Amino acid sequence: MRTVLTKTLYDRRYTIIGWGLGFGFLTWFTGLFYHTFADSNLINQSLQQLPPALRTISGANNNLITVTGYFGGQIFQKTMPLAMAVLGIILGVGLSGQEERGTLQTLLTVPLPRWRILLETWLAYMIAILCVVILLGLGLGLTLLQQHLQLPLRHTIEALANVWLLGAFFMTLG
């Protein structure tokens, strides 16, 4: 490995692949239930009669009949913010956990400025979160393709960018 960035990405490859495939699968699996909500007015009417706080928690604030409302409520408002916050915290703690694992002393003996080591490690984790979000997007694209559904591309990219920013925030905070 020539740089700290590539070494960090290599060391975290299983984390990236595991979380990315997990997010992609979760998105794909959630998408399979869209037609259940879209075809059943009884479910939607029952969810709309819930108190506002319970609707927010359940992700039923949006109209679950529409594709945008379903994926917005089930994926981008309820599931992914929590999951991405957990991933960001895990990565952030992993960044600070190098001292406990004994790898930080070896890394600091490399003839590089410490700011560069910190910056490259941080960038590697930002790229790792981006890779996970890309796999999430692929899972979303797969379920939309399989079920012949469409989401506005601009809104989808914005939602995925928001998920990435949330993960980046919690990773930096960690």
Side-chain angles (χ1 to χ4, degrees):
M1 299 291 143
R2 295 200 179 271
T3 64
V4 175
L5 186 132
T6 55
K7 170 89 170 82
T8 305
L9 284 173
Y10 180 78
D11 289 344
R12 296 287 176 228
R13 67 189 181 278
Y14 296 122
T15 302
I16 296 168
I17 293 169
W19 279 85
L21 290 177
F23 281 8
F25 176 78
L26 181 65
T27 304
W28 171 79
F29 189 72
T30 302
L32 293 178
F33 294 100
Y34 166 71
H35 289 292
T36 303
F37 286 93
D39 296 340
S40 175
N41 285 331
L42 182 62
I43 293 174
N44 287 308
Q45 289 171 356
S46 299
L47 289 173
Q48 295 305 321
Q49 292 175 357
L50 290 173
L54 284 176
R55 271 189 298 183
T56 302
I57 291 171
S58 68
N61 250 355
N62 295 330
N63 187 359
L64 297 178
I65 295 175
T66 65
V67 178
T68 306
Y70 178 77
F71 285 101
Q74 296 301 312
I75 299 294
F76 294 110
Q77 286 181 357
K78 184 172 69 168
T79 307
M80 281 306 125
L82 180 62
M84 189 54 76
V86 169
L87 174 62
I89 291 169
I90 287 171
L91 289 176
V93 169
L95 177 62
S96 64
Q98 289 179 344
E99 183 179 1
E100 295 168 4
R101 289 190 303 271
T103 59
L104 185 61
Q105 290 117 355
T106 307
L107 184 60
L108 292 177
T109 61
V110 176
L112 290 173
R114 291 184 182 196
W115 65 266
R116 184 171 167 198
I117 293 171
L118 178 64
L119 180 65
E120 286 190 28
T121 306
W122 182 79
L123 282 174
Y125 284 133
M126 297 295 277
I127 292 169
I129 292 171
L130 180 64
C131 292
V132 169
V133 169
I134 288 171
L135 289 171
L136 163 69
L138 290 174
L140 179 63
L142 180 66
T143 194
L144 292 173
L145 186 66
Q146 281 181 337
Q147 298 185 38
H148 308 291
L149 302 172
Q150 289 184 341
L151 282 173
L153 182 63
R154 181 174 152 252
H155 295 326
T156 305
I157 291 172
E158 289 173 353
L160 290 170
N162 284 334
V163 169
W164 177 76
L165 284 173
L166 187 68
F169 170 75
F170 278 103
M171 187 275 302
T172 305
L173 190 64

